[in-house]
Amino acid sequence: MRYEFRFPDIGEGIREGTLVKWLVNVGDLVKEGQSLAEVETDKVTTEIPSPKNGKIVELKYKEGDTIEVDEVFVVIETEGENKEAESKEDVEVEKQVVREESAGVVGEVIASSEVIPASNELIEPTTKTTKKKKVLATPVARQLAKDLGIDITTIEGTGPNGRVMKEDILRAKEQLSKPVVQPKFEVEPVQQVEKVEKAEKLAIEYQSENIKRIPLTRIRKTIADQMVKSRFTIPHTTAMDEIDVTKLVEFRNRYKDGLKEDGINITYLPFIIKAVIKALKEYPVFNSTFDEENEEIILKHFYHIGIATDTDRGLMVPVIRDADKKSIIELAKEIEDITTRAKENKIELSELKGSTFTITNYGSIGGYFGIPIINYPESAILGVGKIVKKPIVRDDEIVIAYVLPLSLSYDHRIIDGASGARFLNVLKELLTNPDMLLLKS
Amino acid sequence: MANVLNIVQAINQALEIEMENDPTVVVYGEDVGLEGGVFRVTAGLQKKFGKDRVFDTPLAESAIVGTAVGMAINGLKPVVELQFMGFSYPAFNQIISHVARMRNRSRGRYNLPMVIRAPYGGGIRALEHHSESTEAIYAHIPGIKVVIPSTPYDAKGLLIAAIRDPDPVLFLEPKRIYRAFKQEVPEEAYELPIGKAKIVEEGEDVTIITWGAMVRDVQKASEMVKEKGIYPEIIDLRTISPMDRETFVESVKKTGRAIVVHEAPKSFGAGAEIIAVINEKAFLYLEAPPTRITGFDTTFPLPRGEKHYIPSPERIAKTIEDVVKF
């Protein structure tokens, strides 16, 4: 197809131009946008781009000629004589991004056939949740945290709307560099100074990029305080024993499935509680508190048994009140109830207070012996390990038996070693022979 | 075939549609009639609507704007063209003393439904006065709206909204991208709200606020930094005044970092106002100083220097990295 290219209207009142120079020759193949000629108008010299792809057939003017707007200027044979080929070519041209210098009189406006994506104006943007935690803080507070090497996102703000204040950052820094625990009770001054020094040394020894510092949660702080108070106040001693509970295992196996149908999950713990109560009644000092101030031992005639429970937030001790007045099945139900609620954080504060003796069952996680720390201000704690099959000597014969390991920690200020052994003996007698346990309790 | 247009064609279509729909719309300015404007934005309009509605004026910007005030008071909707933004200063007194104040001065009796169109910005290797970006001057004046589109779709929808607006609108057209790309545009009339920014790209590491021809360059810079794992949120302000504060303040609260990119000189520009708003409204969320990437505090250079003046995608990308690493 022959295409007659007329000298274009290039704007601002230009009616004619002088052909300065041809940039193509007859017979040349040209692309859309390719410059064909340099033309001088009374305002500017500009290059005239080809409007088509094709072959130059005729150049109508000579260099130096004046061309009027709308005069045929160049004749181009466009590619593809038959229509099919031509449309194909057109499609290709459409796809191609053609950059061209447009023929404007003022400056050069870039012209391109590039097509940008359609507007998404009416499409509601999908709101993405941001993965970063945002903290409210003034720049000076952010700088302070940076200088102290504290990640500001880990600090709980106490300012308006939870803003992290400079004081919060300084407090966090203080917590990190001070001893983990500030004992509330009196300790030997020398001891405290030593500890402070040690803790501060610790803070200096590590480079901040190699470690991560986690501020204590309130509950962890309470646990830490309690442990230190107990360990540094009460001289602990621990007695351990292994008890043949083969009969108890058999006994439980006999009733376990039946009880399960009634929705009762019977463990060994209710039996152990029953045995403990019998032992506490026989040796009341294990159910007492040492009143240091008045130099008295307070014996309690009530039996509230604490059950140490592992929760996501840390150790908690829900309490079974008046355990001595409850049946094994009642105990089983209550243990399940309070420990579940403790784990789900649905327990009342009052249910975590007032125990007189505590049992810690690390056996449920697989532990065997342990040295439990007394739940201050109680005087003893029983650690229960995992029941395992073991070879033991029974009537001068080696047999395989179910063995329950027990660890009893007690306050050595008010309980002598012999009493500890006697207490364990009571447990041993009752747990070895469940019939006796039931008869006696 | 789909209606795929560049910005010039989209604006031309908007003018044509509004002239068809509303006989009170008139278009005039230097060379807009017979020639169809220096950039051919008004091409074909005089032929279609006649010399009474589309006509050429003398080289007298003050008269162009001043007569528009009179026409608007008397029931017409003039859409006048100032050939370049750099030629708007002879009309400055009309704009600041009359256009912006008529509604207030007449205690609401007269409003001015008029549009002043002007190509703005540099990057076309032009002469002096042809590359201005003085949007901040006009945005500072209460009573006049300042709108800047960045795509053919936005140009058409915003211009139609500007023509239908009961109050004066300064409509600035980024001439550098007049013909730089095309976009599918609905054939019929549609309005885009004036005073509403658009989140062009969602991201969460840094908010970039920009407008006009710089939007495309910011998008190019964004592609560069994405390779380094930085995801900017790009906001096309679209209207300089009244400014859509809410959109960029919320974005900065999300990202904690803000960059303004504009072609105009740095000092006293629109970027300063945006950053002041961010400091007032999102101060507690900031993790880096709000930063400007702009032209320089000099007269816009002649062709040889203009590439150094307009923020390049490379310069923008570098600053994005600096702000994110701050």
Side-chain angles (χ1 to χ4, degrees), chain A residues 429-441:
Chain A
E429 185 198 337
L430 295 173
L431 292 172
T432 308
N433 189 347
D435 296 338
M436 220 46 175
L437 175 66
L438 296 177
L439 286 171
K440 285 193 174 176
S441 62

Side-chain angles (χ1 to χ4, degrees), chain A residues 11-25:
Chain A
E12 235 191 32
I14 306 297
R15 303 310 307 164
E16 57 180 33
T18 307
L19 180 66
V20 179
K21 195 180 172 189
W22 282 113
L23 300 171
V24 291
N25 295 311

Side-chain angles (χ1 to χ4, degrees), chain A residues 9-15 43 94 97-102 104-140 142-143 146 160-161 163-164, chain B residues 1 4 6 31 34-35 37-40 83-84 123-127 130 150-154 175-184 192-193 198-200 202-206 216 238 252-257 283-288 325-326:
Chain A
D9 175 0
I10 56 176
E12 235 191 32
I14 306 297
R15 303 310 307 164
K43 284 213 170 180
E94 193 97 37
V97 174
V98 181
R99 285 176 70 89
E100 60 191 55
E101 302 297 318
S102 75
V105 276
V106 179
E108 294 166 9
V109 176
I110 300 288
S112 164
S113 61
E114 181 193 347
V115 177
I116 64 167
S119 173
N120 59 355
E121 190 69 31
L122 298 173
I123 305 160
E124 278 293 307
T126 49
T127 40
K128 294 173 197 161
T129 48
T130 146
K131 51 189 175 200
K132 285 186 282 187
K133 189 189 165 198
K134 286 292 161 194
V135 170
L136 295 184
T138 61
V140 68
R142 286 181 204 277
Q143 187 59 39
K146 224 176 188 179
N161 299 317
R163 188 196 303 172
V164 177
Chain B
M1 191 179 145
V4 178
N6 59 34
D31 291 331
L34 184 68
E35 295 295 331
V38 66
F39 291 105
R40 298 293 175 268
Q83 206 162 56
F84 288 89
I124 66 156
R125 304 178 64 75
L127 322 166
H130 292 67
S150 69
T151 65
Y153 179 90
D154 289 2
K175 58 180 169 292
R176 174 151 62 99
I177 54 167
Y178 254 158
R179 296 176 187 273
F181 48 85
K182 296 180 179 181
Q183 188 181 31
E184 195 178 333
L192 290 181
K198 179 176 159 70
I199 299 175
V200 176
E202 280 196 76
E204 54 182 40
D205 295 323
V206 54
R216 283 262 289 174
R238 298 204 292 203
V252 172
K253 282 183 180 177
K254 182 176 85 172
T255 63
R257 293 173 161 85
F283 185 67
L284 292 173
Y285 295 83
L286 294 176
E287 293 177 47
K325 281 181 194 157
F326 180 84

Side-chain angles (χ1 to χ4, degrees), chain B residues 12-56:
Chain B
N12 183 272
Q13 198 170 74
L15 289 168
E16 189 181 340
I17 288 172
E18 285 308 281
M19 291 194 80
E20 253 169 20
N21 289 346
D22 185 345
T24 65
V25 174
V26 293
V27 170
Y28 61 96
E30 293 158 12
D31 291 331
V32 304
L34 184 68
E35 295 295 331
V38 66
F39 291 105
R40 298 293 175 268
V41 173
T42 53
L45 295 179
Q46 190 180 60
K47 210 168 183 180
K48 181 163 182 182
F49 297 103
K51 288 182 178 175
D52 288 342
R53 291 183 68 193
V54 183
F55 52 92
D56 294 325

Side-chain angles (χ1 to χ4, degrees), chain A residues 56-213:
Chain A
I56 303 293
V57 178
E58 197 181 349
L59 302 175
K60 292 252 184 188
Y61 289 88
K62 279 182 282 192
E63 292 179 355
D65 285 354
T66 297
I67 315 167
E68 298 227 346
V69 165
D70 272 340
E71 294 280 8
V72 175
F73 171 51
V74 180
V75 180
I76 300 168
E77 186 74 46
T78 54
E79 288 167 14
E81 279 298 326
N82 67 57
K83 270 191 174 162
E84 208 183 342
E86 190 186 16
S87 64
K88 216 175 180 180
E89 179 68 27
D90 279 352
V91 172
E92 262 174 38
V93 170
E94 193 97 37
K95 277 184 192 162
Q96 250 180 336
V97 174
V98 181
R99 285 176 70 89
E100 60 191 55
E101 302 297 318
S102 75
V105 276
V106 179
E108 294 166 9
V109 176
I110 300 288
S112 164
S113 61
E114 181 193 347
V115 177
I116 64 167
S119 173
N120 59 355
E121 190 69 31
L122 298 173
I123 305 160
E124 278 293 307
T126 49
T127 40
K128 294 173 197 161
T129 48
T130 146
K131 51 189 175 200
K132 285 186 282 187
K133 189 189 165 198
K134 286 292 161 194
V135 170
L136 295 184
T138 61
V140 68
R142 286 181 204 277
Q143 187 59 39
L144 179 67
K146 224 176 188 179
D147 290 345
L148 294 175
I150 298 173
D151 179 1
I152 198 164
T153 60
T154 62
I155 299 173
E156 203 180 317
T158 62
N161 299 317
R163 188 196 303 172
V164 177
M165 312 298 281
K166 281 194 276 182
E167 296 74 33
D168 297 326
I169 297 164
L170 292 171
R171 202 177 305 128
K173 173 71 182 168
E174 216 172 305
Q175 270 184 11
L176 290 177
S177 50
K178 267 207 174 155
V180 184
V181 176
Q182 192 82 50
K184 285 183 196 127
F185 53 93
E186 281 187 353
V187 243
E188 292 287 309
V190 181
Q191 208 180 338
Q192 194 171 23
V193 168
E194 260 175 24
K195 268 170 62 193
V196 169
E197 273 175 7
K198 199 180 167 198
E200 276 180 356
K201 226 177 186 178
L202 204 65
I204 297 159
E205 268 172 10
Y206 296 113
Q207 303 236 312
S208 61
E209 59 265 32
N210 293 332
I211 56 163
K212 186 185 177 192
R213 291 189 170 274

Side-chain angles (χ1 to χ4, degrees), chain A residues 297-355:
Chain A
I297 295 167
I298 306 165
L299 298 180
K300 295 160 200 165
H301 300 310
F302 50 91
Y303 303 90
H304 299 338
I305 306 298
I307 307 293
T309 306
D310 174 50
T311 76
D312 289 345
R313 286 155 299 136
L315 173 68
M316 303 189 100
V317 186
V319 179
I320 299 176
R321 261 152 232 287
D322 299 313
D324 57 317
K325 291 171 187 155
K326 288 170 182 163
S327 73
I328 287 177
I329 286 175
E330 282 168 343
L331 290 173
K333 284 184 190 165
E334 193 167 341
I335 292 163
E336 185 156 21
D337 173 50
I338 57 171
T339 55
T340 306
R341 283 192 293 116
K343 281 175 194 197
E344 290 169 354
N345 200 13
K346 286 177 186 161
I347 200 146
E348 304 278 326
L349 191 61
S350 61
E351 293 177 287
L352 296 170
K353 282 180 175 168
S355 57

